[in-house]
C-alpha cells in the first residue's frame, strides 16, 4: 500500500500469496507482470490506516528493493526516502529527479523537486550542523533555489504561450505582468 501505482510482481517475490484475500475481495488486481490496487483511494485508505512506524519501515523496505533492482527512477527514490525519513537520500534523489525533469522539459515537476531538495537541504543544515556534507549542501542551496525559480518561470512562460495560441490574450497579458 505504500507504493502508488503498480508494482512489478517480481518485486513481491514470495510475498505474492499474502495478497490473495485482497485479490478475491476485488481490492487488488494482479496482471501478468504487475500488481496494484484497483483504486487509488483504496490504496490511500489502507496506507493511511498503517501505524506510522510500520509505514516508515515499509518505505525503507521499498527503498532497499528499488536499489537492488538497478537504476530506480529518482523521483520514486525521493518519494520513498522522504517517507522513510532518509533525508540524505531524499535530498540527493530530489536533485536527481529535478535534473531528469529538466531534461524531459517537465518544468513544473523540476521546480517541485528543486523546492523539496531546497527544503530538505535547509533542514539538514539546521538539524545536523556538523554533518560531513554540510559544506557541500550549503554550496548547492543557492543553485538549487535559482534552478527552481528558472523552472517555475519557464512553466509560466509556457502557460503564456498556451494562452496566446488559444487567443486568450487578456490572460496572457495578466500572467506576464504578474511575472
Amino acid at each position: 500500500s505504500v507504493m502508488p501505482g503498480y508494482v512489478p510482481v517480481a518485486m513481491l517475490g514470495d510475498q505474492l500469496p499474502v495478497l490473495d484475500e485482497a485479490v478475491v475481495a476485488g481490492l487488488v488486481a494482479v496482471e501478468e507482470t504487475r500488481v496494484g490496487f484497483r483504486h487509488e483511494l483504496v490504496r490511500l485508505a489502507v496506507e493511511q490506516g498503517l501505524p506510522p512506524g510500520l509505514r516508515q519501515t515499509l518505505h525503507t523496505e521499498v527503498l532497499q528493493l528499488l536499489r537492488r533492482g538497478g537504476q530506480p527512477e529518482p523521483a520514486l527514490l525521493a518519494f520513498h526516502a522522504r517517507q522513510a525519513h532518509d533525508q540524505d537520500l531524499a535530498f540527493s534523489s530530489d536533485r536527481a529527479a529535478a535534473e531528469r525533469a529538466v531534461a524531459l522539459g517537465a518544468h513544473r515537476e523540476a521546480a517541485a523537486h528543486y523546492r523539496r531538495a531546497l527544503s530538505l537541504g535547509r533542514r539538514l543544515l539546521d538539524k545536523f550542523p556538523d554533518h560531513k556534507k554540510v559544506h557541500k549542501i550549503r554550496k548547492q542551496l543557492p543553485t538549487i533555489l535559482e534552478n527552481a525559480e528558472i523552472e517555475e518561470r519557464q512553466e509560466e512562460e509556457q502557460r503564456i504561450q498556451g494562452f496566446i495560441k488559444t487567443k486568450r490574450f487578456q490572460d496572457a497579458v495578466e500572467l506576464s505582468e504578474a511575472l
Side-chain angles (χ1 to χ4, degrees):
S1 67
V2 297
M3 289 194 68
Y6 283 88
V7 178
V9 170
M11 185 180 267
L12 295 174
D14 61 355
Q15 297 296 312
L16 190 59
V18 172
L19 299 176
D20 286 350
E21 275 187 59
V23 171
V24 170
L27 299 174
V28 173
V30 179
E31 297 175 3
E32 233 178 88
T33 60
R34 60 190 196 152
V35 176
F37 281 87
R38 289 189 182 274
H39 302 283
E40 179 63 8
L41 291 176
V42 173
R43 187 199 68 77
L44 286 170
V46 171
E47 180 184 24
Q48 291 169 359
L50 297 173
L54 176 58
R55 192 175 323 131
Q56 182 179 351
T57 299
L58 290 172
H59 282 288
T60 301
E61 289 176 9
V62 169
L63 279 173
Q64 292 168 353
L65 289 170
L66 289 171
R67 290 171 130 179
R68 265 190 249 136
Q71 293 291 330
E73 185 67 35
L76 191 58
L77 268 182
F79 170 76
H80 289 292
R82 284 192 305 276
Q83 302 305 312
H85 304 279
D86 185 338
Q87 294 184 345
D88 279 346
L89 179 60
F91 175 75
S92 61
S93 297
D94 265 320
R95 287 226 39 217
E99 291 164 10
R100 178 157 166 67
V102 167
L104 295 171
H107 304 296
R108 184 177 300 156
E109 276 299 307
H113 284 294
Y114 279 131
R115 290 281 178 200
R116 281 192 289 270
L118 185 64
S119 175
L120 283 165
R122 287 177 175 156
R123 273 188 269 154
L124 284 169
L125 291 177
D126 290 344
K127 194 171 183 178
F128 305 105
D130 298 327
H131 192 279
K132 62 184 177 185
K133 295 182 181 177
V134 163
H135 178 70
K136 184 178 179 182
I137 292 170
R138 187 168 307 190
K139 203 169 147 183
Q140 291 175 355
L141 290 183
T143 303
I144 292 171
L145 176 60
E146 182 180 334
N147 288 347
E149 290 170 349
I150 289 169
E151 293 306 315
E152 288 165 349
R153 186 170 183 85
Q154 287 182 334
E155 174 68 25
E156 295 303 312
E157 288 172 1
Q158 285 181 341
R159 286 186 61 211
I160 291 169
Q161 291 172 1
F163 287 148
I164 292 169
K165 284 180 184 175
T166 58
K167 300 186 189 307
R168 293 175 52 193
F169 301 114
Q170 185 61 38
D171 290 332
V173 169
E174 287 173 10
L175 185 55
S176 65
E177 287 175 351
L179 295 177

